[in-house]
Amino acid sequence: MSDEKVPWWKRFRKGVQTSTEEKKETPEGIWHRCPSCKNTMLITKLRENRHVCPECGYHERIDAEEYFNILFEGKKYKELFGDLLPVDFLHFTDLKPYQKRIEDTMETTGLREAMRVAAGNCGGHKLLVAAMDFGFIAGSMGSVMGEKIARSIDYCIENKTPLLIISKSGGARMMESAFSLMQMAKTAAKLNQLADAKIPYISLMTNPTTGGVTASVAMLGDFNIAEPGALIGFAGPRVIEETTKKKLPDNFQTSEFQLENGFLDFIVERKQLKEKLEVLLTLMEN
């Protein structure tokens, strides 16, 4: 029987008739779902908005290079102290040897440590930015991060350059034990030298800023500022609830909670970060 004599509703076979060669799959990385409001958007739109959800304002975590590109004029900067690498002093092993963890993390992230340091110009002002990368062992502070902060402070004193530290960390690096904990005192002492030299220091806290980083460099700025909705604290809410046996507020340890309780000077959205820093640097220079 010809197709012309077959009723139209019988001419269609069940199922999808597109051949394998004709199928066009959506490439990975095109769409992104906001973890806060669950809105789905194009990755390109998210990037254009500096990784801030256009619907609810949720600030996605970004790496050090993204901050450098936002803050420095023409995305031009000079990276410093990139030759410093972590060392397994203690031959520590948990689920895997620390040295193996370092090597694997370097390979998967392309980073050499949990902090990158760069110098450049921000709105006509010299600025040194030391930014943490959460992707490298949860942005944990070990001996290399402490040394990078110390050398950054020396650079700022020598070159009369303001310092911005962008914190994003799970705290001290347990695999380095006491070597990691020593960095809290070391960096706090170096920041005293920066204050004595009357060089401005701005601390920007992003999500999350916890543990030994909060207990040292993050809370010692001339200005302590934060992105909206960032988790900022020493111990986590679950640990505090279990210890105190009390129910904590829903917004406990968020940027907004810390601002309300006097731990922050102000909260700044990422889209306004460069502009706000320029104002602060102008005020502190005069």
Side-chain angles (χ1 to χ4, degrees):
M1 184 181 293
S2 67
D3 287 346
E4 294 179 357
K5 296 181 180 180
V6 176
W8 65 267
W9 62 86
K10 293 184 178 180
R11 296 177 192 169
F12 298 96
R13 290 179 293 168
K14 295 181 179 180
V16 177
Q17 302 304 310
T18 309
S19 67
T20 303
E21 292 76 14
E22 296 173 312
K23 290 180 181 178
K24 293 184 178 180
E25 297 180 357
T26 303
E28 292 183 7
I30 293 286
W31 296 96
H32 176 79
R33 191 182 190 195
C34 174
S36 178
C37 69
K38 311 306 180 187
N39 176 57
T40 301
M41 72 205 82
L42 288 168
I43 281 286
T44 52
K45 185 176 181 180
L46 183 67
R47 287 172 180 161
E48 288 169 1
N49 208 41
R50 294 184 174 173
H51 295 270
V52 177
C53 176
E55 295 296 324
C56 70
Y58 178 80
H59 282 53
E60 300 274 355
R61 190 181 295 148
I62 60 175
D63 60 21
E65 187 169 356
E66 291 278 0
Y67 281 110
F68 296 158
N69 290 335
I70 289 171
L71 296 173
F72 292 124
E73 301 294 339
K75 300 181 181 180
K76 295 180 180 178
Y77 54 87
K78 178 182 179 182
E79 187 161 353
L80 306 173
F81 321 127
D83 58 332
L84 298 178
L85 301 176
V87 176
D88 184 9
F89 304 104
L90 305 174
H91 305 293
F92 183 91
T93 299
D94 48 13
L95 296 178
K96 66 171 74 172
Y98 178 38
Q99 185 60 42
K100 183 69 166 61
R101 187 180 298 279
I102 292 170
E103 293 168 359
D104 290 348
T105 306
M106 286 181 176
E107 183 177 348
T108 56
T109 64
L111 301 170
R112 307 186 80 185
E113 237 298 321
M115 171 173 276
R116 293 176 65 185
V117 180
N121 290 307
C122 178
H125 303 275
K126 293 191 297 184
L127 182 66
L128 186 107
V129 180
M132 300 177 193
D133 274 306
F134 197 81
F136 196 100
I137 313 181
S140 50
M141 183 168 67
S143 54
V144 170
M145 183 184 291
E147 183 63 17
K148 283 193 173 188
I149 293 172
R151 293 193 188 189
S152 296
I153 291 169
D154 290 339
Y155 177 97
C156 289
I157 293 173
E158 182 180 348
N159 295 278
K160 307 294 185 190
T161 300
L163 172 65
L164 169 68
I165 294 181
I166 302 176
S167 297
K168 180 166 45 269
S169 173
R173 187 170 299 175
M174 58 167 285
M175 289 76 85
E176 294 186 18
S177 188
F179 289 100
S180 176
L181 296 176
M182 287 163 55
Q183 307 312 310
M184 297 170 64
K186 175 180 177 177
T187 54
K190 293 297 293 185
L191 285 170
N192 274 333
Q193 294 179 8
L194 192 70
D196 291 341
K198 299 187 181 340
I199 305 295
Y201 164 44
I202 302 168
S203 173
L204 171 62
M205 286 164 261
T206 67
N207 186 45
T209 299
T210 58
V213 170
T214 306
S216 55
V217 294
M219 285 292 181
L220 295 177
D222 297 312
F223 282 92
N224 293 329
I225 64 179
E227 290 184 339
L231 173 67
I232 302 169
F234 182 65
R238 179 180 56 81
V239 174
I240 294 174
E241 279 194 343
E242 290 176 355
T243 303
T244 62
K245 309 301 181 185
K246 292 182 179 180
K247 176 65 177 175
L248 300 173
D250 291 337
N251 69 337
F252 185 69
Q253 290 186 327
T254 62
S255 301
E256 293 73 18
F257 180 88
Q258 303 296 16
L259 178 65
E260 183 181 339
N261 287 276
F263 287 96
L264 296 176
D265 292 295
F266 60 85
I267 295 171
V268 57
E269 293 187 8
R270 194 173 294 156
K271 292 182 289 185
Q272 300 175 332
L273 178 59
K274 187 173 186 291
E275 179 185 344
K276 293 285 188 181
L277 284 176
E278 290 173 6
V279 172
L280 284 183
L281 292 171
T282 301
L283 290 173
M284 289 189 286
E285 283 183 1
N286 297 327

